[in-house]
Amino acid sequence: MLTAWALRNWKAIVAIFALALLLALAGLGFWRGLVAIERLQAEAATLAREERDSHWQAEIAKANAAVEAARANQVLISARADTAARDAEARFQEQLKQLEKDDAALAGGADLVLRRDRVRVLDGAGP
């Protein structure tokens, strides 16, 4: 009985199987398409992350270079200021020695009284 029915309706059965096969192939194609889209999306996200990482690494390197340049500039400024301070101290010590020498050359070198000639020696002293 089933065989007789199948022989009478073989065109409809073949059409149903063909439709089922087409739906299965369409579903498989849709699934493979989604897998491909997900793979492309993951690749694009990875590429974008790598690009941003390289951008920020370059920015960090640029900022570090600027900090190092500023540090080197501060070292130079500090060295110049230190040299200027030493030179000023050396000049002051030289002036002090000259002042003591001029004071000792006056009459009554150990005398602590301020006379006109001692005041003139002190007027020549600078800070």
Side-chain angles (χ1 to χ4, degrees):
M1 175 141 120
L2 183 62
T3 316
W5 179 82
L7 287 174
R8 274 191 318 245
N9 297 316
W10 70 273
K11 289 181 183 179
I13 293 172
V14 170
I16 289 172
F17 277 124
L19 184 61
L21 181 63
L22 282 176
L23 284 175
L25 287 175
L28 181 64
F30 182 74
W31 174 68
R32 293 301 299 159
L34 286 178
V35 168
I37 288 172
E38 285 181 14
R39 182 179 46 82
L40 291 174
Q41 185 180 14
E43 287 176 6
T46 302
L47 192 64
R49 273 193 296 275
E50 289 173 356
E51 184 179 326
R52 290 311 298 166
D53 286 349
S54 65
H55 168 75
W56 286 113
Q57 286 173 353
E59 289 292 322
I60 289 169
K62 191 187 329 178
N64 286 343
V67 167
E68 287 302 318
R71 230 180 244 160
N73 191 27
Q74 287 297 322
V75 167
L76 287 175
I77 290 171
S78 174
R80 288 179 188 149
D82 190 40
T83 303
R86 282 192 208 141
D87 290 346
E89 183 180 1
R91 280 193 307 274
F92 179 72
Q93 291 295 331
E94 192 64 36
Q95 287 175 352
L96 184 62
K97 287 178 186 176
Q98 184 64 37
L99 182 63
E100 289 174 352
K101 184 178 167 186
D102 290 347
D103 186 43
L106 294 173
D111 195 7
L112 295 179
V113 178
L114 281 176
R115 287 182 293 229
R116 187 184 323 199
D117 48 355
R118 287 196 190 276
V119 171
R120 285 185 189 148
V121 168
L122 288 175
D123 280 341

